[in-house]
Amino acid sequence: MTGQIQVESCSGVHMDDNAAIRINVGGFKKRLQSDTLSRFPETRLARLLHCQSKESILELCDDYDDAEKEFYFDRNPALFPYVLNFYNTGRLHVMAELCIFSFSQEIEYWGINEFFIDSCCSGAYHCRKMDQDREDWDDRSDEGSTTSSFDELLEFYNDATKFDKQFFGSARRRIWLMLDNPGYSIPSRIISILSILVVLGSIATMCMNSMSEFTLTDSQGQPTEDPRFETVEHFGIGWFTLELVARFIVAPDLLHFFDHPLNVIDLVSILPFYLTLLINLVVESSPALANLGRVAQVLRLMRIFRILKLARHSTGLRSLGATLRNSYKEVGLLLLYLAVGVSFFSVMAYTVEKEDTEDLSTIPACWWWATVSMTTVGYGDVVPLSIPGKLTASACILAGILVVVLPITLIFNKFSLFYKRQRQLEIAMRSCNFDEGIKEVPSVNLRNYYAHKVKSLMASLSNMSRSSPSEQSLNESIH
């Protein structure tokens, strides 16, 4: 390379304006005039001219050969000609085939500011850099999704291993996979299809039971349930109860069974029926508690929560739930925008319409109108009549479109990430074969997982280096 570093003082390094220094950048050697470097005093090479000791030299370069007076830099030699061209012309040029991330890191190392990029290359450079930043943001967003997928797959694998230490572990694991993983095998697909049909049938009978065409009356003229609907209801409750009990019996960890949201939904879907049955028995035995019958009517309406059982069989519904659970900031932002807009336009509508329209004679009444208008629902039950009121309504509708669209875009992007993650997770789970026992961890794309971590670290280091003291000094010298 450059030989051994001498221990004695390097006081002779300080040079006059006509002297030249020898540079070795990764094997690329070049002699540079001091007056050329002095034109840009805040750059790394120009600061070498003022070093008075070996310690100060080694703070700026990787090695120094005192005998040859040569400075060594362990950098990419292919990019150093761009730095040389900068010292000769005072401008930076960026070729289209260069990696923007590497080029940006390189000029930051040499202490050259992006302001020196020539106008012919500046537009394309910043556009490509913005695209790179956008990709980094996508990677950071997808990083949480990839990490979560990896953790969930390991949790699934750990649950499957718990059966090895239990009685009839192999049979219980087979039943557990069949019940908890729709699509894992042909029997699991059949059970999944049957469960969906029972859910839809239960919801359909509940809706039809509310129609006057299917309403029956008893001998006293009181409305009563159609026996056909009652049979479908009892069959559905029996199926849902059997599902829940079977899942509980073959669960790998009984203590944490109800920690899973889908198991809680299964419990909530059958709980109203049994509570209603209990209340009816209490009312029949104690007529003084007849008011409890109203509670039973409310509980019957809770049967609509059975529609949530479809989430176990639908990737889209599970992804939607995960999106809402992880998008509370965006949802809060949406509600904040709507609250500000509704407050503003309700006062505006009240001011211009209080004398022309009775429906908009109070600010609380205007809140309803502003909410309906900003969300672009437009019931038409309350409308402004005056020209200023119509102009206010137009502004309210346009502002509502912008207010709703901006956070919704962020939520949609998260939904896409969670849906992609859920699909990959399902494919990985279905590819696991436990028939001959567990011998190895199921395959996971660790390369992508590791790449996301490294890129996140590099982006953080890049942001830290952009605020270096040398760059701040260079900015001051430019201005």
Side-chain angles (χ1 to χ4, degrees):
M1 190 178 70
T2 57
Q4 300 294 326
I5 301 176
Q6 302 294 326
V7 181
E8 60 267 13
S9 173
C10 298
S11 58
V13 176
H14 184 74
M15 306 173 186
D16 55 31
D17 292 340
N18 296 324
I21 63 173
R22 301 180 61 181
I23 305 297
N24 185 339
V25 180
F28 180 85
K29 298 184 178 181
K30 188 70 176 179
R31 293 176 60 89
L32 299 176
Q33 297 297 323
S34 300
D35 55 350
T36 301
L37 302 179
S38 300
R39 294 168 53 198
F40 308 99
E42 296 301 325
T43 59
R44 183 177 292 266
L45 293 180
R47 290 161 58 193
L48 280 175
L49 302 177
H50 305 285
C51 292
Q52 299 294 328
S53 65
K54 183 190 343 182
E55 290 76 11
S56 60
I57 291 177
L58 295 179
E59 289 178 359
L60 298 174
C61 64
D62 296 297
D63 200 355
Y64 175 69
D65 187 351
D66 187 57
E68 299 291 335
K69 305 297 183 185
E70 185 177 74
F71 303 89
Y72 178 77
F73 297 88
D74 188 13
R75 305 295 296 182
N76 187 356
L79 295 178
F80 189 67
Y82 295 93
V83 178
L84 290 179
N85 183 68
F86 162 74
Y87 280 110
N88 293 327
T89 63
R91 309 301 296 173
L92 277 172
H93 293 273
V94 186
M95 299 295 105
E97 64 272 9
L98 286 179
C99 172
I100 292 299
F101 183 79
S102 298
F103 184 81
S104 176
Q105 292 289 322
E106 195 69 18
I107 62 176
E108 286 176 2
Y109 173 81
W110 294 109
I112 304 173
N113 198 282
E114 293 178 352
F115 294 145
F116 289 110
I117 298 178
D118 206 351
S119 58
C120 61
C121 303
S122 178
Y125 171 81
H126 289 291
C127 286
R128 292 172 60 189
K129 192 171 183 181
M130 289 177 62
D131 292 339
Q132 180 67 36
D133 292 338
R134 189 178 300 111
E135 291 177 2
D136 291 340
W137 184 88
D138 292 338
D139 290 337
R140 289 193 298 270
S141 300
D142 192 46
E143 177 186 355
S145 175
T146 305
T147 305
S148 180
S149 297
F150 185 74
D151 294 339
E152 288 186 24
L153 186 58
L154 289 181
E155 182 181 359
F156 167 75
Y157 180 79
N158 291 332
D159 287 341
T161 59
K162 294 178 181 179
F163 290 101
D164 293 335
K165 301 178 181 179
Q166 300 176 359
F167 292 105
F168 304 104
S170 179
R172 291 182 60 195
R173 179 165 54 210
R174 193 174 294 108
I175 298 175
W176 174 70
L177 291 171
M178 183 174 60
L179 294 176
D180 271 20
N181 294 278
Y184 181 80
S185 60
I186 294 179
S188 66
R189 292 189 181 97
I190 295 175
I191 293 175
S192 176
I193 293 174
L194 182 58
S195 181
I196 292 174
L197 292 177
V198 173
V199 171
L200 296 179
S202 177
I203 298 300
T205 55
M206 186 187 69
C207 297
M208 294 172 65
N209 195 36
S210 66
M211 300 171 63
S212 59
E213 293 85 349
F214 300 97
T215 302
L216 302 179
T217 56
D218 56 12
S219 58
Q220 299 178 354
Q222 298 294 327
T224 183
E225 259 192 70
D226 191 319
R228 296 170 297 179
F229 296 158
E230 194 171 0
T231 301
V232 174
E233 174 69 10
H234 291 168
F235 176 78
I237 289 296
W239 174 262
F240 298 148
T241 305
L242 178 63
E243 268 191 324
L244 181 61
V245 172
R247 286 195 175 94
F248 183 76
I249 292 176
V250 301
D253 191 349
L254 299 180
L255 296 178
H256 298 89
F257 177 75
F258 287 107
D259 291 347
H260 200 290
L262 294 179
N263 295 330
V264 176
I265 292 175
D266 290 343
L267 178 63
V268 172
S269 65
I270 64 174
L271 200 58
F273 175 82
Y274 292 107
L275 290 178
T276 302
L277 189 62
L278 179 62
I279 291 173
N280 290 335
L281 293 175
V282 172
V283 171
E284 290 178 0
S285 60
S286 302
L289 301 176
N291 290 330
L292 287 177
R294 298 179 181 179
V295 178
Q297 294 178 359
V298 175
L299 290 175
R300 289 174 64 85
L301 296 177
M302 292 180 62
R303 291 183 295 177
I304 193 61
F305 287 109
R306 294 174 188 172
I307 196 69
L308 298 178
K309 287 178 63 67
L310 296 177
R312 188 181 294 275
H313 312 282
S314 172
T315 305
L317 285 178
R318 291 197 300 275
S319 301
L320 178 61
T323 302
L324 295 178
R325 187 171 61 251
N326 292 273
S327 301
Y328 62 93
K329 293 182 180 179
E330 288 80 3
V331 173
L333 188 64
L334 175 61
L335 296 178
L336 176 62
Y337 287 167
L338 286 176
V340 172
V342 167
S343 302
F344 177 79
F345 286 107
S346 61
V347 174
M348 292 287 294
Y350 168 75
T351 303
V352 300
E353 288 288 328
K354 61 181 179 179
E355 298 179 356
D356 298 332
T357 307
E358 294 183 358
D359 295 331
L360 298 175
S361 58
T362 62
I363 292 180
C366 294
W367 286 346
W368 166 252
W369 168 83
T371 302
V372 171
S373 299
M374 288 203 71
T375 55
T376 66
V377 175
Y379 285 124
D381 54 343
V382 180
V383 293
L385 300 179
S386 64
I387 294 179
K390 292 179 179 179
L391 293 177
T392 302
S394 301
C396 180
I397 294 171
L398 293 176
I401 293 175
L402 296 177
V403 163
V404 171
V405 164
L406 293 178
I408 288 298
T409 303
L410 300 177
I411 296 175
F412 174 76
N413 290 337
K414 281 195 174 184
F415 174 80
S416 300
L417 292 175
F418 279 108
Y419 184 81
K420 177 183 177 182
R421 184 201 73 178
Q422 194 66 38
R423 293 292 298 174
Q424 293 175 345
L425 185 62
E426 290 179 356
I427 294 173
M429 287 180 176
R430 292 172 185 173
S431 64
C432 297
N433 186 7
F434 301 109
D435 292 338
E436 299 180 357
I438 299 177
K439 298 180 179 179
E440 58 182 6
V441 178
S443 60
V444 181
N445 195 339
L446 293 176
R447 181 182 62 83
N448 291 341
Y449 179 78
Y450 175 75
H452 288 308
K453 292 292 186 182
V454 172
K455 291 189 70 175
S456 177
L457 176 62
M458 293 297 292
S460 301
L461 295 176
S462 176
N463 292 332
M464 293 175 60
S465 63
R466 287 170 186 166
S467 59
S468 60
S470 61
E471 180 172 339
Q472 294 176 0
S473 302
L474 186 58
N475 290 339
E476 294 175 359
S477 66
I478 293 174
H479 297 293

